[in-house]
Amino acid sequence: MDGDDFAGKAAAEAKGMNPGLIVLLVVGVPLLAFLIANYVLYVYAQKNLPPRKKKPVSKKKLKREKLKQGVPVPGE
């Protein structure tokens, strides 16, 4: 084994694509596309969809909140 043979093998391997790079591209590109699409849909929904309707607060909860704040509840 002389040094010339080793240098020839290294040059042949360097010409092909790195397997780590291939895996990174196969996993990274779809993941990046998914995240960008999610962001675009989120921005679209924020602009175009109406805000959610809030659930009505029960009278019992209103009474409890007023008592916490120290406001006298009417009728008592």
Side-chain angles (χ1 to χ4, degrees), residues 55-66:
K55 292 181 181 176
V57 181
S58 68
K59 290 181 182 178
K60 198 175 190 180
K61 283 186 181 178
L62 279 175
K63 200 182 247 188
R64 192 181 306 140
E65 285 297 319
K66 286 183 180 180

Side-chain angles (χ1 to χ4, degrees), residues 2-60:
D2 54 349
D4 294 336
D5 189 37
F6 179 74
K9 286 182 183 176
E13 286 181 16
K15 289 179 183 175
M17 286 191 70
N18 186 357
L21 180 65
I22 293 170
V23 170
L24 184 68
L25 289 174
V26 167
V27 172
V29 171
L31 181 66
L32 192 63
F34 174 76
L35 292 173
I36 291 170
N38 265 350
Y39 178 73
V40 169
L41 285 173
Y42 173 76
V43 170
Y44 173 78
Q46 291 298 314
K47 288 182 181 177
N48 296 319
L49 293 180
R52 287 186 182 174
K53 292 181 181 176
K54 293 184 178 178
K55 292 181 181 176
V57 181
S58 68
K59 290 181 182 178
K60 198 175 190 180

